[in-house]
């Protein structure tokens, strides 16, 4: 008979290895950004709940998990109120109840991730094994990403057909010629995968001197350099700006890094790449300027693509919040109000397409911070801030355990990334930050338990 611990280990490895496949055409878990990973994540949740109930163990695990569950629960409950008493319930063939149901399922992803992460964290004995698994999961998207760069910038599209065939097996997206997307839906999602998952892990481990095995640190150094190069070629303004904020944070927290010649050499390679391909830097600079120029402009909006479109949705989301400040308009339902609050001067390009009655697509805020305000109101925002507060307490908790030190760095960078990337993404379907927060809480709990046991 197969032991439960072996099944748990297999499912955990599968969860990590399948994370890079962020747009696999799998409808059952369509609310998850990594739908294949959602399968082992759900199975692990069921197994851990069964074990906890059978052994009469606590289920919620810690304050962090409890805070997010309360946020999700209250958000779901108060979201039912505007759905029931709203003046209109459908638009373009879609109704608020269906949108609410889909968005509610999305909240299960962070709940499951926090829970599974915390239970796995309690089981981690060797952090080196965890880093090795994560590095292995990076290899396939890394190889595919470099093949994309080779195809676009050296081979002039000579291997586009085989790359496209491979890509369509695991993604619903398309292969962009000038911007790499790895195995994700689009370049922006690739950037999010890198800055929210791989770079925080590789960067944190690389900066942790004399903690991990030397061969693991060498793999991580290679992974860090590769992920930064791939990030540059996604040409994601948000992703690269997020990385720069993370870099500044790490330098301020680890000033001795500037005394490490290897780190200086790594930075030299990265900035040399920017000089070698200045077009990427110019595009990023232009896009940031356009965001700044359009974010507070309600008239004469510039139809420049993502910058003006996103700022239009942000302003619309804030208008929805102002009209329903206490409990919001219901999870997943802010888009139903956009046709009422977006001025004619901003109905252009993608905005016009999403507002058009000819399709059944409901627009969204494209900003998780504004979405929380607009759809769950002040009550939901306060509860979510409580969750962040307890998470920050984990980050500043003093502990001599090497696993805790590394996971604190990883989680800090992941939270920075989530906050920054949240200005262009508005879903809880990304499992990366919640999984890392869960791991940290589990490792800390185990570490504290050991200290108390010794006493």
């Amino acid at each position: 008979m197969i032991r439960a611990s072996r099944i748990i280990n297999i499912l955990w490895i599968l969860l990590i290895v399948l994370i890079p496949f962020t747009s696999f055409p799998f409808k059952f878990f369509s609310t998850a950004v990594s739908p294949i990973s959602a399968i082992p994540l759900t199975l692990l949740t069921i197994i851990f709940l069964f074990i906890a109930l059978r052994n009469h163990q606590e289920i919620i695990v810690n304050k962090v998990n409890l805070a997010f569950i309360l946020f999700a629960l209250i958000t779901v409950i108060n979201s039912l109120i505007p759905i029931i008493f709203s003046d209109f319930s459908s638009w373009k063939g879609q109704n608020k109840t269906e949108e609410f149901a889909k968005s509610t399922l999305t909240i299960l992803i962070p709940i499951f991730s926090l829970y599974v992460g915390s239970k796995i964290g309690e089981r981690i004995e060797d952090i080196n094994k965890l880093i090795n698994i994560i590095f292995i999961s990076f290899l396939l998207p890394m190889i595919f990403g470099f093949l994309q760069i080779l195809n676009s910038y050296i081979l002039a599209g000579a291997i586009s057909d085989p790359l496209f065939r491979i890509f369509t097996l695991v993604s619903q997206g398309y292969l962009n010629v000038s911007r790499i997307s790895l195995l994700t839906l689009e370049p922006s999602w690739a950037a999010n995968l890198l800055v929210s998952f791989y770079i925080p892990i590789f960067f944190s481990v690389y900066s942790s001197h004399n903690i991990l095995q030397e061969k693991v640190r060498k793999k991580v150094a290679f992974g860090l350099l590769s992920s930064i190069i791939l990030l540059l070629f996604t040409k994601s303004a948000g992703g690269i700006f997020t990385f720069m904020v993370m870099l500044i944070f790490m330098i301020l927290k680890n000033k001795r890094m500037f005394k490490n010649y290897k780190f200086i050499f790594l930075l030299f390679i990265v900035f040399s790449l920017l000089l070698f391909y200045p077009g990427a830097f110019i595009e990023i600079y232009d896009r940031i300027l356009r965001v700044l120029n359009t974010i507070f402009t309600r008239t004469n909006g510039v139809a420049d693509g993502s910058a003006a479109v996103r700022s239009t949705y942000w302003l619309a989301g804030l208008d929805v919040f102002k009209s329903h400040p206490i409990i919001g308009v219901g999870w997943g339902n802010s888009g139903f109000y956009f046709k009422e609050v977006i001025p004619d001067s901003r109905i252009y390009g993608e905005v016009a397409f999403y507002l058009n009655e000819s399709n059944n697509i409901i627009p969204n805020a494209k900003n998780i911070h504004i979405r929380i305000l607009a759809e769950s109101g002040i009550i939901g925002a306060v509860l979510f801030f409580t969750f962040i507060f307890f998470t920050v307490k984990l980050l500043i908790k003093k502990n001599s355990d090497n696993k805790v030190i590394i996971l604190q760095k990883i989680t800090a960078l992941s939270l920075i990334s989530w906050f920054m990337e949240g200005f262009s993404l508005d879903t809880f379907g990304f499992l990366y930050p919640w999984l890392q927060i869960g791991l940290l809480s589990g490792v800390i709990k185990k570490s504290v338990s050991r200290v108390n046991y010794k006493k």
Side-chain angles (χ1 to χ4, degrees):
M1 185 174 179
I2 300 175
R3 295 176 58 188
S5 59
R6 184 172 296 179
I7 295 174
I8 289 170
N9 289 337
I10 292 171
L11 290 173
W12 170 245
I13 292 171
L14 280 175
L15 190 159
I16 296 296
V17 171
L18 295 173
I19 279 178
F21 303 99
T22 66
S23 60
F24 187 82
F26 191 48
K27 291 184 179 180
F28 187 74
F29 283 103
S30 58
T31 56
V33 172
S34 297
I36 317 183
S37 277
I39 299 173
L41 177 68
T42 303
L43 292 174
L44 282 169
T45 302
I46 294 170
I47 291 172
F48 283 131
L49 283 174
F50 175 77
I51 293 174
L53 290 171
R54 188 186 65 179
N55 298 333
H56 305 289
Q57 299 172 345
E58 58 180 329
I59 294 177
I60 293 180
V61 179
N62 53 51
K63 292 180 180 178
V64 175
N65 293 31
L66 176 61
F68 194 93
I69 290 173
L70 283 175
F71 159 72
L73 185 62
I74 298 300
T75 294
V76 169
I77 291 173
N78 75 18
S79 291
L80 290 172
I81 298 173
I83 290 174
I84 295 171
F85 297 103
S86 176
D87 293 334
F88 61 90
S89 61
S90 64
W91 178 37
K92 299 199 294 186
Q94 305 293 314
N95 65 69
K96 290 184 178 182
T97 305
E98 291 176 1
E99 292 299 313
F100 162 72
K102 288 189 288 187
S103 296
T104 300
L105 286 175
T106 308
I107 300 183
L108 290 177
I109 298 301
I111 292 176
F112 288 0
S113 299
L114 285 165
Y115 183 63
V116 168
S118 60
K119 300 305 288 186
I120 292 293
E122 293 177 23
R123 292 167 172 260
I124 291 178
E125 295 294 339
D126 186 0
I127 193 73
N128 293 280
K129 291 182 179 178
L130 174 63
I131 303 303
N132 273 324
I133 294 170
I134 293 169
F135 180 78
I136 290 170
S137 75
F138 176 65
L139 291 177
L140 189 57
M142 179 199 72
I143 292 170
F144 193 82
F146 279 116
L147 284 175
Q148 284 180 269
I149 294 173
L150 182 68
N151 180 58
S152 297
Y153 296 96
I154 298 176
L155 300 180
I159 57 173
S160 293
D161 287 343
L163 284 180
F164 180 74
R165 291 193 187 97
I166 295 171
F167 184 69
T168 52
L169 291 175
V170 297
S171 178
Q172 300 176 85
Y174 64 95
L175 276 180
N176 193 296
V177 176
S178 62
R179 300 175 61 192
I180 68 166
S181 53
L182 305 184
L183 297 169
T184 70
L185 182 70
E186 56 165 321
S188 296
W189 281 31
N192 182 267
L193 174 66
L194 292 168
V195 297
S196 299
F197 189 64
Y198 288 115
I199 290 179
I201 293 168
F202 294 151
F203 206 168
S204 299
V205 174
Y206 182 78
S207 66
S208 302
H209 300 281
N210 304 320
I211 290 181
L212 297 183
Q213 297 171 359
E214 182 62 26
K215 61 181 180 180
V216 174
R217 291 190 69 240
K218 287 180 179 179
K219 291 179 183 177
V220 163
F222 175 74
L224 177 60
L225 179 59
S226 299
S227 56
I228 293 173
I229 293 171
L230 293 171
L231 174 64
L232 292 176
F233 280 92
T234 65
K235 296 183 186 177
S236 168
I240 295 173
F241 187 68
T242 297
F243 170 69
M244 296 306 293
V245 174
M246 292 163 60
L247 179 62
I248 293 170
F249 173 80
M250 287 297 285
I251 290 173
L252 292 176
K253 290 288 290 182
N254 301 271
K255 294 180 181 179
R256 64 179 181 179
M257 288 174 67
F258 273 116
K259 298 179 182 179
N260 184 344
Y261 73 91
K262 293 181 180 179
F263 177 69
I264 299 298
F265 181 67
L266 186 146
L267 286 181
F268 172 76
I269 293 175
V270 171
F271 286 107
S272 295
L273 282 167
L274 281 176
L275 292 174
F276 177 73
Y277 188 70
F281 178 78
I282 293 171
E283 287 182 30
I284 293 163
Y285 177 74
D286 286 345
R287 293 182 71 186
I288 291 173
L289 278 184
R290 288 198 294 268
V291 170
L292 295 175
N293 287 333
T294 59
I295 186 171
F296 297 114
T297 305
R298 287 185 177 270
T299 58
N300 300 321
V302 181
D304 68 332
S306 61
V309 168
R310 276 174 166 74
S311 60
T312 297
Y313 292 147
W314 299 351
L315 291 167
L318 287 174
D319 285 340
V320 173
F321 167 66
K322 291 174 186 176
S323 301
H324 305 80
I326 306 301
I327 61 173
V329 297
W331 205 235
N333 292 319
S334 59
F336 283 96
Y337 297 81
F338 281 11
K339 62 178 180 178
E340 308 293 333
V341 298
I342 294 178
D344 292 341
S345 59
R346 277 186 170 260
I347 300 179
Y348 47 71
E350 182 185 312
V351 179
F353 171 77
Y354 281 118
L355 294 182
N356 197 298
E357 298 281 349
S358 64
N359 63 72
N360 62 355
I361 302 172
I362 304 298
N364 54 52
K366 294 189 181 295
N367 184 315
I368 191 65
H369 315 298
I370 291 175
R371 181 183 177 186
I372 290 172
L373 286 171
E375 298 182 3
S376 63
I378 293 173
I379 293 175
V382 169
L383 287 170
F384 187 76
F385 177 78
T386 303
F387 161 72
I388 296 296
F389 171 76
F390 283 124
T391 301
V392 172
K393 286 187 70 175
L394 291 179
L395 297 180
I396 62 177
K397 191 177 185 69
K398 297 292 183 181
N399 198 297
S400 59
D401 190 326
N402 290 338
K403 295 189 292 295
V404 173
I405 295 171
I406 290 176
L407 285 170
Q408 281 177 327
K409 289 182 181 181
I410 292 172
T411 305
L413 290 181
S414 185
L415 269 184
I416 290 172
S417 174
W418 179 85
F419 177 80
M420 298 299 299
E421 289 286 283
F423 286 100
S424 61
L425 299 168
D426 70 340
T427 179
F428 280 114
F430 292 94
L431 57 82
Y432 330 127
W434 326 118
L435 201 62
Q436 290 155 345
I437 292 170
L439 282 170
L440 174 61
S441 65
V443 168
I444 286 179
K445 180 183 178 182
K446 182 177 181 180
S447 177
V448 171
S449 298
R450 280 181 173 175
V451 171
N452 291 336
Y453 177 76
K454 289 178 181 178
K455 289 181 180 180

